[in-house]
Amino acid sequence: MKIPFGQLSRQYQSIKKEVDQAVLQVMARGWFILGQEVGNFEKKFAKYCGVKYCVGVANGLEALQISLMALGITAGDEVITTPLSAAATSLAIIHLGAKPIFVDIDPDTYNIDPKKIEKAITKRTKAILPVHLYGQLADIKRIMKIARRHNLFVIEDCAQAHGAQLNNKRAGSFGDIAAFSFYPSKNLGAFGDAGCVVTNNSELAQKARSLRDYGQVGKYDHKYLGLNSRLDEIQAAILSVKINYLNRWNNQRHQLATLYSSLLSGLPVSLPETNISSSHVWHLYVIKTNRRDALKKYLINHGVDVQIHYPKPLYRQEAMKQFNCHQCPEAESTIKQILSLPLYPEMTNGQVVYICKTIKCFFNHGK
């Protein structure tokens, strides 16, 4: 059996008629940048997240960068974040001349450990940027308390947490501002690059709208040094179709994750731990084992595509070596053991059963 890590074409086929119609309507209308489709999706997604404002942008990295810019983060400022994330999390900080301060992770959830945040706060600290990793909210309530106590901003990186909840509040509605990616493989993915910024603050929303469009506050009236980072009409139209299925797809992910955990129980692997007070949307299903590399090879040899999210702490990336950190032992240890198994709504129970049987065979017979 061959099981890919993702299969986006199957998702498209399931909603093909609606998507095709939405795209053709944009083509017929002949308006492709910042038109009615972007406005419609912004309203839909703001309502879904439980916030007042959504600003569509070109991608997740620029959603983070615009969020930081809107808050006034600039050269010399420090932003506390996690070393276990995609590069965009720290690149957004670095591109502004600010400095990412990496705080170690909780070994159970892999999210930033709030118990270690306050020790990292200095006079230059301006914000905390937690990542809701793999689909599970960071300990956002505790992070917000720390931020308010020290008069710091909070930017939520929600790129992997579309729809995750805590006490009926969704990811993106806790901090001062939040950034989403709609990269195709996300729980809510476009057919190309796309992203957005969400907030309850009207001034931040207005500034973000200007920053995404060359810093304009009116045509040819440039108040800010902005970017060209606009969500296009075609991607917005596609996202407006797909958001109607997001809860269903998240439920399917949850069912598959539950099956994984049931079938892998008792094996010498650490299964994902979930916070009982919040909902996990299972962007990724990540196990941990000290035989990770051998298991990865075994699964690939048996037709199962697996990946590692992420193989290096951000501060060990060549491009970010000047921000090296020697105080993240949990991240260093975790990164050597984590393995992401295939998980997407179009998977079948039979595929999950096959993967779990293959993992059992590895531990029983593999070398």
Side-chain angles (χ1 to χ4, degrees):
M1 183 181 289
K2 295 285 186 181
I3 303 176
F5 193 77
Q7 210 166 8
L8 295 175
S9 60
R10 287 187 61 190
Q11 187 178 87
Y12 166 61
Q13 290 299 326
S14 71
I15 54 173
K16 182 180 186 300
K17 184 177 180 180
E18 291 176 79
V19 168
D20 290 356
Q21 182 179 5
V23 171
L24 288 173
Q25 285 177 345
V26 173
M27 302 296 283
R29 194 178 296 123
W31 188 285
F32 302 108
I33 301 292
L34 296 184
Q36 72 181 55
E37 295 294 345
V38 170
N40 289 341
F41 174 70
E42 287 175 340
K43 290 176 183 177
K44 280 187 174 184
F45 197 66
K47 182 178 180 180
Y48 181 84
C49 293
V51 297
K52 294 179 180 178
Y53 309 103
C54 171
V55 180
V57 299
N59 54 67
L61 167 57
E62 289 171 354
L64 286 166
Q65 187 172 342
I66 287 170
S67 296
L68 292 161
M69 292 169 73
L71 292 169
I73 305 300
T74 189
D77 292 339
E78 294 179 351
V79 179
I80 291 171
T81 192
T82 173
L84 184 57
S85 183
T89 302
S90 54
L91 286 175
I93 300 167
I94 295 166
H95 284 330
L96 298 180
K99 181 179 180 181
I101 303 297
F102 296 106
V103 167
D104 209 356
I105 63 169
D106 180 318
D108 295 327
T109 66
Y110 312 137
N111 280 314
I112 191 170
D113 188 344
K115 297 191 297 294
K116 298 171 183 175
I117 288 177
E118 286 193 281
K119 291 181 180 179
I121 295 173
T122 72
K123 292 181 180 180
R124 292 186 175 183
T125 307
K126 294 295 176 65
I128 306 171
L129 201 170
V131 177
H132 302 313
L133 196 68
Y134 303 153
Q136 179 163 219
L137 290 172
D139 192 349
I140 192 65
K141 279 196 168 183
R142 191 165 180 178
I143 291 168
M144 291 303 300
K145 287 180 181 178
I146 294 169
R148 296 302 176 241
R149 188 156 59 240
H150 294 273
N151 197 29
L152 303 175
F153 296 117
V154 173
I155 307 102
E156 295 177 71
D157 184 337
C158 303
Q160 301 184 16
H162 309 70
Q165 296 184 69
L166 173 65
N167 298 331
N168 295 319
K169 284 192 65 176
R170 285 201 166 116
S173 65
F174 296 91
D176 296 285
I177 197 166
F180 284 85
S181 168
F182 301 122
Y183 186 77
S185 61
K186 302 299 185 184
N187 291 39
L188 178 61
F191 284 9
D193 277 316
C196 79
V197 172
V198 302
T199 183
N200 282 310
N201 185 304
S202 61
E203 292 182 8
L204 292 178
Q206 184 178 12
K207 191 171 182 182
R209 291 188 192 282
S210 295
L211 288 167
R212 74 174 174 185
D213 190 24
Y214 301 117
Q216 296 182 102
V217 292
K219 195 169 181 64
Y220 305 128
D221 183 6
H222 301 268
K223 183 176 180 180
Y224 309 107
L225 295 175
L227 307 175
N228 176 11
S229 183
R230 300 171 299 210
L231 177 64
D232 71 69
E233 286 286 281
I234 290 176
Q235 299 302 342
I238 292 166
L239 289 167
S240 285
V241 171
K242 294 183 75 175
I243 194 174
N244 298 324
Y245 296 90
L246 180 55
N247 286 342
R248 181 195 301 180
W249 290 335
N250 281 346
N251 287 336
Q252 290 169 324
R253 287 175 179 271
H254 176 75
Q255 291 169 11
L256 293 167
T258 300
L259 182 59
Y260 263 130
S261 294
S262 174
L263 295 175
L264 293 175
S265 178
L267 293 179
V269 298
S270 295
L271 302 178
E273 293 199 18
T274 59
N275 185 337
I276 59 172
S277 63
S278 64
S279 67
H280 197 314
V281 293
W282 300 103
H283 175 60
L284 294 169
Y285 188 91
V286 181
I287 61 173
K288 188 164 67 171
T289 171
N290 56 14
R291 299 184 63 190
R292 189 271 307 280
D293 292 341
L295 176 59
K296 178 186 176 186
K297 183 178 179 180
Y298 188 86
L299 286 167
I300 290 173
N301 287 341
H302 286 78
V304 181
D305 187 12
V306 292
Q307 296 186 20
I308 300 172
H309 298 86
Y310 296 92
K312 293 181 182 179
L314 289 172
Y315 54 78
R316 291 201 181 277
Q317 295 289 346
E318 179 68 19
M320 305 174 207
K321 61 184 179 181
Q322 68 269 40
F323 305 106
N324 200 6
C325 173
H326 301 285
Q327 298 177 354
C328 296
E330 295 293 352
E332 294 280 356
S333 174
T334 295
I335 277 171
K336 296 173 184 176
Q337 301 177 70
I338 51 177
L339 187 66
S340 302
L341 305 180
L343 178 65
Y344 42 96
E346 295 74 32
M347 281 186 74
T348 65
N349 288 351
Q351 288 175 313
V352 174
V353 169
Y354 174 79
I355 293 169
C356 293
K357 284 183 176 179
T358 305
I359 293 172
K360 288 179 182 179
C361 287
F362 168 79
F363 284 108
N364 290 333
H365 311 293
K367 296 181 180 180

